[in-house]
């Protein structure tokens, strides 16, 4: 710090601002005296930082507390982090729907919106639906677009650091789409794009079944499942962003395609037809023998896919989400079979967040970015190395 003091006073000011702002967010409200105590900075430094943060709108003076015993003289001024000074947006782009969730700078929800989209929609149609959902959400929440500090996006496919979707079989026209660049045209703030299963894993770690666990595998179940992993509390994307693509294991050539595995008729199911998948599970519950066999094949495939990750990563917890969440008969077989295949079976739980997992994780992506900028946080869950 001594080197910074002499060599780069502007950097030192930014560090001091981050320290004070973080302290205010952590404590809720604080007097100048309290801020001096918890930051270790001098009073003149704290006073100058609070004045500057107040001018930017990130800090506000808290109203004097009412009631209680009044002391003689003027009460000490109290300050708070002004979380309403900006907003964050999390967006899910899926085969059948587009969803968005809005929050303040603390990550507290301020509204959400969902719109259906045909599975056959072109990339342009899907992007237009995203814009419509965002515009509707901002209008209903009374939030100006210029108030947005960061936008997180969860999308199927292998996503590179610049937001380009390198490969995607789930959405028409999505492969090689510069998604981050396309969406950036609609916003004046940073747009951060993440794989949907990765985003869901982050969400479950933040507010769901994985809260308190730093080694997690999230399985986004479907005909071709994907997975997101947290290792040591950090999102693991792999070298090229393809970590967790367990739906490609059948390409080893030893098994049928996912669309054939869950078909009770011998005819492959449509790859993106979730309604057809749901019907097969319903028929199995109703006693249809061919459907029951199809479901058993699917569960065996899912167990093998998940076991490959569990053996490699040794997670504490496996969270199952996607359309499989809520369907009877998935969880117990997973637990039972993973106990057979894995040297140390993990806990297996259903997603707590359900359909909101991807958009919630996208919001966390935006929140992590803002925390890095405002609070000088170095090791966020979603930070790229």
């Amino acid at each position: 710090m001594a080197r910074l003091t002499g060599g780069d006073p502007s950097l030192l000011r930014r560090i001091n601002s981050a320290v004070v702002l973080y302290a205010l967010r952590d404590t809720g409200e604080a007097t100048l005296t309290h801020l001096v105590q918890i930051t270790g900075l001098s009073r003149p430094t704290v006073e100058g930082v609070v004045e500057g943060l107040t001018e930017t709108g990130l800090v506000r003076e808290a109203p004097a507390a009412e009631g209680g015993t009044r002391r003689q003289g003027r009460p000490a001024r109290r300050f708070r982090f002004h979380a309403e000074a900006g907003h964050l947006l999390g967006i899910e782009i899926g085969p059948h729907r587009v969803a968005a969730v809005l929050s303040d700078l603390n990550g507290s929800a301020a509204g959400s919106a969902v719109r259906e989209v045909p599975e056959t929609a072109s990339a342009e149609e899907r992007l237009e639906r995203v814009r419509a959902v965002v515009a509707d959400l901002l209008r209903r929440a009374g939030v100006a677009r210029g108030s947005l500090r960061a936008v997180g996006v969860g999308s199927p496919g292998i996503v590179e650091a610049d937001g380009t979707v390198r490969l995607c079989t789930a959405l028409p026209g999505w492969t090689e789409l510069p998604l981050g660049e396309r969406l950036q045209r609609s916003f004046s703030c940073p747009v951060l794009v993440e794989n949907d299963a990765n985003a869901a894993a982050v969400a479950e770690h933040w507010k769901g079944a994985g809260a308190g666990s730093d080694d997690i595998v999230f399985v986004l179940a479907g005909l071709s499942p994907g997975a997101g992993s947290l290792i040591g509390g950090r999102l693991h994307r792999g070298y090229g962003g393809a970590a967790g693509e367990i739906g490609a294991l059948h390409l080893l050539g030893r098994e049928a395609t996912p669309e054939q595995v869950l078909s009770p008729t011998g005819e492959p199911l449509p790859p993106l037809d979730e309604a057809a998948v749901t019907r097969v599970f319903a028929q199995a519950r109703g006693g249809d023998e061919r459907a029951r066999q199809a479901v058993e094949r699917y569960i065996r495939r899912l167990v093998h896919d998940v076991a490959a990750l569990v053996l490699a990563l040794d997670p504490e917890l496996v969270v199952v989400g996607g359309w499989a969440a809520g369907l009877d008969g998935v969880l117990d077989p997973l637990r039972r079979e993973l106990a057979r295949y894995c040297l140390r079976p993990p806990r297996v739980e259903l997603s707590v967040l359900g359909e909101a997992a991807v958009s919630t994780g996208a919001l966390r992506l935006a929140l992590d970015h803002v925390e890095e900028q405002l609070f000088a946080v170095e090791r966020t869950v979603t930070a790229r190395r």
Side-chain angles (χ1 to χ4, degrees), residues 30-352:
T31 63
L32 292 175
T33 299
H34 190 200
L35 286 173
V36 169
Q37 293 171 345
I38 60 181
T39 64
L41 300 173
S42 69
R43 188 177 184 93
T45 295
V46 170
E47 289 177 342
V49 167
V50 169
E51 181 180 354
L53 292 172
T54 301
E55 292 175 356
T56 65
L58 289 171
V59 168
R60 278 193 174 179
E61 186 170 350
E66 297 182 0
T69 303
R70 296 194 62 178
R71 298 179 179 178
Q72 290 185 345
R74 182 178 179 182
R77 299 166 67 194
R78 304 182 66 84
F79 299 89
R80 69 175 181 88
F81 171 53
H82 184 213
E84 303 84 0
H87 292 84
L88 309 170
L89 194 63
I91 301 172
E92 172 197 355
I93 305 176
H96 301 278
R97 70 178 214 152
V98 170
V101 59
L102 183 71
S103 82
D104 63 17
L105 296 181
N106 272 332
S108 300
S112 62
V114 179
R115 286 195 184 184
E116 300 300 314
V117 58
E119 63 190 46
T120 57
S122 67
E124 292 302 325
E125 291 170 326
R126 206 173 298 274
L127 288 172
E128 184 56 39
R129 192 63 55 93
V130 171
R131 298 184 190 101
V133 166
V134 170
D136 177 58
L137 175 56
L138 294 178
R139 178 185 57 78
R140 289 191 290 108
V143 171
R145 188 175 294 261
S147 175
L148 295 174
R149 293 293 188 104
V151 176
V153 182
S155 164
I158 298 173
V159 180
E160 297 192 341
D162 64 357
T164 298
V165 182
R166 187 57 57 203
L167 176 65
C168 178
T169 60
L171 304 180
W174 222 244
T175 295
E176 298 293 347
L177 179 71
L179 181 58
E181 177 185 324
R182 294 294 304 276
L183 290 177
Q184 186 66 70
R185 302 172 189 174
S186 300
F187 302 100
S188 58
C189 63
V191 175
L192 309 115
V193 184
E194 187 58 75
N195 168 266
D196 53 359
N198 286 349
V202 169
E204 292 291 341
H205 178 261
W206 183 29
K207 290 188 174 183
S213 299
D214 282 342
D215 293 272
I216 303 168
V217 166
F218 178 92
V219 180
L220 192 60
L223 279 179
S224 184
S229 303
L230 268 66
I231 301 176
R234 295 289 295 273
L235 184 61
H236 179 69
R237 298 177 175 92
Y239 177 74
E245 293 294 333
I246 56 177
L249 287 177
H250 73 280
L251 297 177
L252 294 174
R254 295 184 296 178
E255 297 182 88
T257 66
E259 293 81 7
Q260 293 169 319
V261 166
L262 196 51
S263 171
T265 66
E267 292 293 324
L269 296 177
L272 301 178
D273 192 344
E274 294 183 11
V277 172
T278 301
R279 282 196 297 271
V280 174
F281 274 82
Q283 291 165 359
R285 288 195 301 268
D288 184 291
E289 181 60 22
R290 297 180 70 183
R292 186 187 64 79
Q293 292 176 2
V295 170
E296 288 181 354
R297 289 195 301 269
Y298 170 78
I299 291 177
R300 285 198 301 271
R301 168 69 66 80
L302 187 63
V303 168
H304 293 164
D305 292 348
V306 175
L309 271 181
V310 170
L311 286 169
L313 301 180
D314 185 29
E316 176 186 358
L317 173 68
V318 171
V319 181
V320 181
W323 58 261
L327 293 178
D328 297 337
V330 172
L331 213 60
D332 287 341
L334 264 178
R335 289 173 176 146
R336 185 171 59 249
E337 294 302 307
L338 285 176
R340 289 179 56 197
Y341 285 102
C342 300
L343 301 177
R344 191 205 61 79
R347 290 191 294 118
V348 181
E349 304 290 345
L350 283 177
S351 166
V352 170

